[in-house]
Amino acid sequence: MARTLRGRFAPSPTGLAHLGNAWSFLFAWLAVRQAGGEILLRMEDLDLERCSPVYMQMLMSDMRWMGLDWDEGPTPEKELGAYHQSNRFRLYEDALQELVAKGLAYPCFCSRKDVRGMASAPHIGDAGAAYPGTCRRMPPAEAARRIARRERFSWRFRSTDKVFRFEDGLYGLQEARLADCGGDFNLRRSDGVFSYQLAVSVDDALMGVTQVVRGRDILPSTPRQLALMEAMGWEAPSYVHIPLLLDAEGERLAKRHASLSLRSLRDEGVSPWRVVGLLARAAGLCDRLEEVHPRDLVHSFHFSTMRPADYTLSDNDMAWLTGREAGSWQAP
Ligand code: GLU
């Protein structure tokens, strides 16, 4: 019997939720609701210094305002629950130890500066410069000596030149070697913070996620997550990378766009159904700009009806959204 579709939305609560977050959540949500599946909300708050419980609460309230709900996720209580990465360090540590025991992780004593300076391998997307493998061949006795001397070190994944292939739900067949997307990637930083790659792989696998929907800027991470899941003997979910929503300058929407935060739109009195209508139009799901409730998009939703090109928000879009004249939209 086919497994129930289990999706997830995994924001990093480092600022006010913006249209880009709403965009990712909307399509993950539509895919799940269309298939009668389940969706979970997970707070990616690994970096405790940058994440705030206030942003988490506001994000949940903003998503509900837009008519998006979830079947599992953080509870209103103050204590951190199973859906906060900051409360799951034990699981990441166990996975790391298993990789170490299998010989698939090694300690790396290079500083960030060293790594930048030595980098020469090609890379794609946001993967950054590939790690040149300096500590990969270090004899275990030398590594043990340096650890005993309390030198700072991170843990890296020992990659192979296997080609990872997967069928992306929107962009079709993808294939890459780890060397094409960063090489031996980090599992735990020298300050003890677990890497996004490790945490997200552990969580998607152990939370039983069967479909990951996220921005195409994260595509170069997928082979790394497939490698980790394979190394741990876990079944990987299917992946759908979606186009990006860009601002008028062609930049990806990010937290610095305070004016595009859902909170500021709410404060301006913008209707949430306008926000959904704009996103649906931008993705090619509707022919014209009109107010729409996410529920009304469920029946006809399929990724094949989505336009795969990135979408740049125009002045006209913002004018329609806020009910102002074109060209008069400015950051408050
Ligand atoms: N936490 C990541 C972000 O907010 C998303 C990671 C993912 O979907 O895998 O950008």
Side-chain angles (χ1 to χ4, degrees), residues 8-14 21 24 42-45 85 196 200 204 212-215 217-218 221 225 239 252 255:
R8 47 66 149 192
F9 173 52
S12 307
T14 56
N21 297 121
S24 300
R42 179 172 77 227
M43 292 295 172
E44 304 222 314
D45 57 345
Q85 288 191 326
Y196 157 71
V200 89
D204 284 339
V212 169
V213 176
R214 59 187 179 194
D217 54 326
I218 304 183
S221 286
Q225 293 166 23
Y239 292 91
R252 194 170 69 89
K255 277 135 199 155

Side-chain angles (χ1 to χ4, degrees), residues 102-286:
K102 288 178 169 167
L104 294 173
Y106 63 89
C108 171
F109 300 86
C110 299
S111 68
R112 280 181 186 224
K113 207 167 107 248
D114 291 339
V115 173
R116 259 201 313 271
M118 293 183 297
S120 57
H123 59 88
I124 55 169
D126 71 345
Y131 177 63
T134 318
C135 293
R136 190 185 161 96
R137 284 165 294 271
M138 184 181 292
E142 183 186 339
R145 233 181 355 260
R146 293 178 69 165
I147 292 172
R149 277 206 310 259
R150 295 187 175 272
E151 275 187 50
R152 287 169 73 83
F153 68 98
S154 57
W155 285 103
R156 280 186 188 275
F157 184 73
R158 188 182 293 279
S159 60
T160 64
D161 63 0
K162 173 175 170 156
V163 178
F164 288 91
R165 287 192 182 82
F166 66 98
E167 189 68 28
D168 184 87
L170 196 59
Y171 294 107
L173 182 67
Q174 305 290 314
E175 39 186 33
R177 289 188 169 80
L178 293 179
D180 302 327
C181 38
D184 289 355
F185 57 89
N186 234 297
L187 297 167
R188 201 181 69 187
R189 291 191 334 214
S190 61
D191 60 2
V193 174
F194 290 100
S195 75
Y196 157 71
Q197 307 295 352
L198 179 69
V200 89
S201 306
V202 168
D203 288 347
D204 284 339
L206 299 190
M207 291 178 167
V209 169
T210 65
Q211 183 184 62
V212 169
V213 176
R214 59 187 179 194
R216 69 167 187 81
D217 54 326
I218 304 183
L219 246 174
S221 286
T222 305
R224 294 177 246 189
Q225 293 166 23
L226 289 173
L228 280 174
M229 300 224 190
E230 184 183 84
M232 295 296 294
W234 291 329
E235 193 175 338
S238 62
Y239 292 91
V240 189
H241 292 86
I242 58 174
L244 303 179
L245 193 59
L246 306 172
D247 68 9
E249 280 79 51
E251 301 248 357
R252 194 170 69 89
L253 292 186
K255 277 135 199 155
R256 65 192 172 80
H257 288 80
S259 58
L260 296 178
S261 72
L262 297 174
R263 197 46 63 140
S264 68
L265 295 173
R266 277 173 85 165
D267 291 348
E268 291 260 329
V270 170
S271 152
W273 320 135
R274 269 197 177 225
V275 177
V276 178
L278 176 66
L279 300 180
R281 170 79 186 87
L285 303 183
C286 299

Side-chain angles (χ1 to χ4, degrees), residues 59-124:
L59 180 136
M60 290 194 278
S61 149
D62 292 345
M63 295 301 149
R64 287 197 189 97
W65 171 74
M66 279 187 52
L68 300 175
D69 60 357
W70 49 94
D71 305 294
E72 293 170 33
T75 49
E77 288 88 56
K78 283 223 182 69
E79 300 90 73
L80 294 177
Y83 297 90
H84 292 83
Q85 288 191 326
S86 59
N87 213 25
R88 298 172 63 81
F89 290 170
R90 185 72 248 163
L91 297 168
Y92 310 143
E93 182 61 36
D94 289 350
L96 174 62
Q97 289 317 322
E98 190 170 331
L99 293 168
V100 172
K102 288 178 169 167
L104 294 173
Y106 63 89
C108 171
F109 300 86
C110 299
S111 68
R112 280 181 186 224
K113 207 167 107 248
D114 291 339
V115 173
R116 259 201 313 271
M118 293 183 297
S120 57
H123 59 88
I124 55 169

